[in-house]
Amino acid sequence: MAETELPPTLPAHVRTTIAAHADGIPFRARAGYTHRTWARTYSSLPELFIQPESLAEIEKVVTLARRCRRRLVTVGSGHSPSDLTCTSSWMLNLDRFSRVLACDPATGLTTVEAGIRLHQLSAALDAAGLALPSLGSINEQSIAGAISTGTHGSSLRHGLVSESIVAIKITLADGKTYECSAAERPDLFRAALLSLGAVGVVAEVTLRAVPAFSLAWSQTIDADSRLLEAWDGPLWTQAEFVRVWWFPYMRRAVVWSAHKVPSTEASTRQYGGPARPAFLDTGLGYFLYHNLLALARWVPRITPWIEWFVFGLNYGFKNGEATRVSGCDASHRAFLLNCLYSQFVNEWAIPLHRGPEALRRLAAWLHRLQPGDPGYVDHGIPFSAEGLWVHSPVEVRVSDATVRTSAEEGTRPFLDPTPADGPALYLNATMYRPYYRDPSREATERYYKAFEWLMRDLGGKPHWAKSFEVSPAEFEAWYGESWREFRRVRDEVDPDGLFVGPWHRRYLLGEAAGEVAKEAAPALPLEEVGFAKEKARGGGLLVHGRQNEVELA
């Protein structure tokens, strides 16, 4: 809408300020929008939902938010299950700011507007004979959202998806846009590469794509004992891309591996072509599992049986080489997975060599094993697993930030959660929410408390896009100087907290020096403070924030 069409619900001083800046640059805002995370775990009611279509419009939005004393949240697909993207203030969505600005097939250098979704970017690159070197399991996120939360794939030859980024344009709280890279404003670049929305609005991204390729993949199912035996051998080095799904109740694992082949029809035919839909990818499979999960909300004890039954329908009941299936498809399709249903997700990165210990201890805890039981180990987890039934699988993936990304090159984000001196293992514990209804909240919280306790014990850090409970003091201890550098850059470019909300206060900014006396840290002048939460119609929690009332100096 134009400046003369502002909703009457806006406070008078906001309407007056916006109207005073009728400079011919559109301010495309509307009220009455409900924001929901993809999983509908959280929702919020922003005062304005704004969709700019140019860089000048983004700069105007930032300037107006500052002058109207409104916090500004940038959101894409909302795939994170946390309340990171929720606000009662102003929400900026870049879906209409999503063009490819430049693409050089010879060098792979590609510049895009930051709202472009990964599936749109992949299609544009494919048309130019290019591809992203690595992807995660979904492609609905915007490129800005993917890099700002530390998205990763599964390969010991790649780190975070952001390792292919060579330059960023970011609009800061002063309403001006700055370019940064490893050579130009390197500290701002390393903060912007994983910013959590707390630094500014990532507006343009320049990345280095690679020649288009297909993935010839194969998949096998076996007992998890075979997985653990191969851990330090061929498991993670058998192909460029390897990922695992672990099913603790069956003590079985699915291993998927893929290597690059030329992106040609001949290659596709040679390696078996695109995969046939699995049982869970069919309408019947999707419906059956969904309803069984819903039934298990009322009768949790049947969960292991459901997992066994659906696993068999989807993958088969055999083990070993007889289970091998294979295929070949373009990389941007072969990487993808079906996330199925709404879910809680808790994911941590630990050193790769601690993986077998992690799985053995988690299995012993879930199965409540005692000394003398097959597979028993002393898990050490100080929480009871009695009456606890969890969903499968636990996703197991890897990355290595030391292969292509290094501190010397200046392309490692300050907040990269993976080890700086070797490969990382990601463990992803999922609890489904059938029909957007939570499983037992007490059991889920206990499961995640136990999971996080184990991950801490193994030297882990949480994935920023997932759910977790960690204090800023813990983060500072884990990240050390990188944490302090991120905080320094963030505080310098946004001293008034234009991009700060309750999530950032909870995990990044924390309490003031008076913490011993339980005094809350003074809120920044533009910070949105104190989410109140209530049950939302349709599931999840509806959150309400309020703008800080401290006047700007």
Side-chain angles (χ1 to χ4, degrees):
M1 60 180 66
E3 287 84 351
T4 56
E5 300 173 349
L6 295 173
T9 53
L10 284 180
H13 77 278
V14 173
R15 292 170 55 84
T16 300
T17 301
I18 295 174
H21 290 79
D23 52 7
I25 299 173
F27 181 64
R28 305 176 198 273
R30 62 185 173 97
Y33 177 81
T34 300
H35 165 68
R36 295 181 177 89
T37 61
W38 171 81
R40 295 196 182 184
T41 44
Y42 290 97
S43 58
S44 63
L45 304 171
E47 182 179 67
L48 288 180
F49 181 72
I50 310 163
Q51 291 186 298
E53 298 180 10
S54 69
L55 182 58
E57 290 180 43
I58 292 175
E59 292 176 336
K60 178 172 181 173
V61 169
V62 173
T63 298
L64 284 175
R66 186 181 72 251
R67 293 179 178 176
C68 292
R69 302 190 67 255
R70 289 299 190 264
R71 179 207 176 190
L72 191 61
V73 178
T74 307
V75 66
S77 65
H79 206 270
S80 172
S82 75
D83 57 6
L84 172 62
T85 57
C86 290
T87 185
S88 296
S89 190
W90 288 9
M91 179 168 286
L92 182 68
N93 173 264
L94 300 183
D95 282 353
R96 297 180 184 174
F97 189 70
S98 58
R99 296 173 300 169
V100 177
L101 302 177
C103 182
D104 185 346
T107 64
L109 286 176
T110 302
T111 299
V112 297
E113 293 174 336
I116 193 170
R117 300 295 181 97
L118 292 181
H119 65 86
Q120 296 171 319
L121 174 58
S122 293
L125 291 175
D126 188 59
L130 298 170
L132 293 170
S134 178
L135 273 174
S137 300
I138 58 172
N139 61 1
E140 290 300 319
Q141 313 103 309
S142 66
I143 185 64
I147 66 175
S148 293
T149 53
T151 297
H152 61 90
S154 188
S155 172
L156 289 184
R157 303 185 197 177
H158 301 272
L160 301 181
V161 168
S162 63
E163 70 184 1
S164 65
I165 308 301
V166 298
I168 286 174
K169 283 186 178 179
I170 183 168
T171 305
L172 300 181
D174 62 3
K176 299 177 182 177
T177 301
Y178 301 83
E179 185 159 357
C180 56
S181 66
E184 184 179 6
R185 302 184 180 90
D187 287 352
L188 178 59
F189 183 58
R190 293 183 64 194
L193 279 173
L194 205 165
S195 70
L196 301 167
V199 175
V201 180
V202 174
E204 291 181 12
V205 174
T206 299
L207 57 92
R208 191 179 300 278
V210 298
F213 61 95
S214 290
L215 289 176
W217 59 268
S218 68
Q219 178 177 285
T220 58
I221 297 94
D222 215 330
D224 64 2
S225 59
R226 298 290 300 275
L227 173 82
L228 300 177
E229 289 170 2
W231 195 275
D232 295 325
L235 176 61
W236 300 110
T237 58
Q238 61 185 290
E240 182 167 349
F241 302 97
V242 182
R243 56 194 182 196
V244 172
W245 298 274
W246 180 58
F247 295 78
Y249 288 132
M250 281 79 71
R251 299 306 302 264
R252 299 172 75 191
V254 177
V255 178
W256 181 94
S257 62
H259 63 275
K260 292 178 180 177
V261 296
S263 190
T264 63
E265 290 186 14
S267 291
T268 301
R269 289 195 301 270
Q270 178 184 351
Y271 292 100
R276 295 179 180 178
F279 176 71
L280 288 176
D281 293 327
T282 67
L284 174 61
Y286 183 94
F287 178 81
L288 176 63
Y289 190 30
H290 206 180
N291 283 278
L292 288 174
L293 289 170
L295 177 62
R297 290 185 65 245
W298 302 103
V299 192
R301 282 184 170 275
I302 68 174
T303 300
W305 178 86
I306 291 173
E307 297 294 343
W308 170 83
F309 178 65
V310 173
F311 180 97
L313 292 176
N314 199 56
Y315 297 106
F317 294 94
K318 297 179 180 179
N319 282 345
E321 191 59 32
T323 66
R324 186 177 297 277
V325 294
S326 59
C328 183
D329 206 351
S331 62
H332 61 273
R333 290 191 293 269
F335 281 125
L336 301 183
L337 291 174
N338 186 347
C339 289
L340 295 174
Y341 321 113
S342 171
Q343 55 198 252
F344 294 119
V345 187
N346 197 323
E347 179 176 335
W348 288 55
I350 64 175
L352 177 61
H353 71 275
R354 306 298 297 271
E357 178 186 356
L359 298 183
R360 289 188 177 106
R361 291 172 67 181
L362 188 58
W365 180 74
L366 287 171
H367 287 274
R368 301 179 284 282
L369 298 182
Q370 300 299 315
D373 292 340
Y376 170 79
V377 297
D378 183 6
H379 56 72
I381 298 173
F383 302 96
S384 171
E386 290 296 330
L388 181 68
W389 310 100
V390 304
H391 297 154
S392 298
V394 173
E395 190 176 41
V396 185
R397 292 184 289 169
V398 294
S399 74
D400 193 343
T402 67
V403 177
R404 296 169 183 259
T405 305
S406 69
E408 290 76 18
E409 294 173 341
T411 54
R412 179 176 170 85
F414 287 127
L415 298 185
D416 186 337
T418 60
D421 56 357
L425 179 77
Y426 296 92
L427 293 178
N428 181 326
T430 296
M431 289 291 285
Y432 287 120
R433 304 176 62 246
Y435 296 102
Y436 303 110
R437 294 294 185 264
D438 295 346
S440 166
R441 182 164 291 275
E442 183 277 331
T444 301
E445 290 178 353
R446 183 155 41 102
Y447 177 36
Y448 283 160
K449 283 181 180 179
F451 181 75
E452 292 189 349
W453 185 94
L454 179 60
M455 295 299 101
R456 284 180 172 92
D457 197 49
L458 296 171
K461 302 186 192 77
H463 187 313
W464 290 107
K466 314 302 184 183
S467 300
F468 53 82
E469 291 299 328
V470 176
S471 71
E474 287 182 291
F475 279 129
E476 183 172 11
W478 294 339
Y479 282 92
E481 188 60 27
S482 291
W483 178 263
R484 290 183 284 276
E485 283 297 291
F486 177 83
R487 285 288 308 271
R488 177 187 62 81
V489 173
R490 203 227 70 78
D491 293 345
E492 286 178 357
V493 299
D494 181 25
D496 295 319
L498 178 68
F499 302 106
V500 172
W503 189 97
H504 302 105
R505 175 61 62 187
R506 203 157 63 235
Y507 298 118
L508 294 183
L509 305 184
E511 304 264 329
E515 185 174 1
V516 174
K518 302 300 181 184
E519 296 175 3
L524 299 171
L526 299 180
E527 178 180 344
E528 185 178 13
V529 296
F531 275 159
K533 300 177 181 180
E534 61 178 295
K535 288 186 178 180
R537 182 178 299 176
L541 296 175
L542 176 65
V543 299
H544 304 276
R546 61 180 178 82
Q547 204 68 37
N548 186 23
E549 298 177 356
V550 175
E551 292 296 334
L552 286 170

